[in-house]
Amino acid sequence: AQTVTQSQPEMSVQEAETVTLSCTYDTSESDYYLFWYKQPPSRQMILVIRQEAYKQQNATENRFSVNFQKAAKSFSLKISDSQLGDAAMYFCAYRRLYTGNQFYFGTGTSLTVIP
Amino acid sequence: NAGVTQTPKFRILKIGQSMTLQCTQDMNHNYMYWYRQDPGMGLKLIYYSVGAGITDKGEVPNGYNVSRSTTEDFPLRLELAAPSQTSVYFCASKTGNTGELFFGEGSRLTVL
């Protein structure tokens, strides 16, 4: 089974600063999806950003961007200009591209934003 | 604009009791999933379904059952509740084409 590792259980950032959350994964596949999900205190999981492994360009969504290093199997999330509303648990997830019925999640990183 | 709806949001069970967590989606998604989230453990897949009438086990299916009689509904049944089933349960769905999962708000279950 694929594994997804988030080595930072907790992170903190000053408001308006930039923070990077780390994620590594293990797979023998060449085509797959990677995701970052945000889980605020309200509990509902929300998609932050998605990356297709066959795309070399790193995905960007407003203040959120990824650094996708396919050879290193690394998929980090950068949050720029951090806001108080960014405080949440962030989960990295993996899914195979063509037979990807199952998603594999990391254990999460709890992000605190300091005013 | 309901998306994925789970009920109940909170429930306390006694050991040995049974209950069903309900999940409904109004996006006409073929794929539906049940996850459990334990502190510090991320999400673990319990069961999933690729369409009405088709279900399959995930990583942690023991103690649970599911059915998928319609595209919209995917209930999760706990037959004999045990303290190890204390967790937060999430239902999710996706289409066959897009990559992302859409989640419900979660159901917190405590077994005492």
Side-chain angles (χ1 to χ4, degrees):
Chain A
Q2 278 72 24
T3 57
V4 178
T5 301
Q6 292 179 250
S7 59
Q8 305 155 316
E10 297 177 347
M11 293 281 286
S12 62
V13 62
Q14 291 285 145
E15 195 175 3
E17 297 294 312
T18 296
V19 65
T20 299
L21 308 183
S22 300
C23 174
T24 59
Y25 56 94
D26 181 29
T27 184
S28 57
E29 305 284 332
S30 58
D31 293 323
Y32 45 87
Y33 286 115
L34 295 164
F35 308 86
W36 279 99
Y37 278 89
K38 172 184 177 181
Q39 186 181 38
S42 65
R43 260 194 351 227
Q44 188 163 21
M45 302 271 280
I46 305 164
L47 178 69
V48 175
I49 201 164
R50 173 178 63 204
Q51 174 81 42
E52 291 89 348
Y54 58 85
K55 291 186 178 179
Q56 292 186 341
Q57 187 172 7
N58 288 328
T60 300
E61 287 287 345
N62 301 316
R63 297 182 296 107
F64 298 87
S65 61
V66 299
N67 183 7
F68 173 49
Q69 302 288 329
K70 191 172 183 179
K73 297 179 183 176
S74 172
F75 182 60
S76 60
L77 174 70
K78 185 171 82 171
I79 307 174
S80 303
D81 186 24
S82 297
Q83 300 175 359
L84 295 177
D86 295 333
M89 197 77 171
Y90 286 82
F91 290 94
C92 179
Y94 165 98
R95 174 175 91 82
R96 286 199 299 263
L97 182 62
Y98 295 112
T99 58
N101 292 327
Q102 296 197 32
F103 289 69
Y104 298 90
F105 287 83
T107 51
T109 297
S110 178
L111 179 66
T112 300
V113 181
I114 303 166
Chain B
N1 205 14
V4 179
T5 302
Q6 290 181 235
T7 57
K9 289 187 167 48
F10 301 93
R11 182 74 185 269
I12 298 174
L13 282 180
K14 294 182 179 178
I15 294 173
Q17 286 186 319
S18 300
M19 76 158 298
T20 299
L21 297 175
Q22 302 290 346
C23 177
T24 299
Q25 53 90 10
D26 61 359
M27 297 173 282
N28 201 32
H29 286 173
N30 290 326
Y31 296 81
M32 296 188 74
Y33 303 79
W34 274 107
Y35 288 91
R36 60 178 286 172
Q37 183 181 28
D38 300 321
M41 298 295 290
L43 280 78
K44 297 293 184 183
L45 181 64
I46 305 171
Y47 271 95
Y48 67 100
S49 170
V50 301
I54 305 170
T55 63
D56 210 345
K57 295 178 181 179
E59 300 174 77
V60 289
N62 292 343
Y64 307 94
N65 280 299
V66 294
S67 59
R68 185 91 182 272
S69 56
T70 66
T71 298
E72 295 77 19
D73 300 309
F74 190 43
L76 178 71
R77 177 89 178 154
L78 286 72
E79 289 295 347
L80 293 170
S84 61
Q85 293 177 305
T86 294
S87 189
V88 179
Y89 292 83
F90 286 95
C91 182
S93 70
K94 78 172 183 73
T95 68
N97 296 327
T98 67
E100 72 176 280
L101 283 173
F102 293 83
F103 284 87
E105 294 182 350
S107 300
R108 181 177 294 278
L109 175 67
T110 302
V111 182
L112 301 174

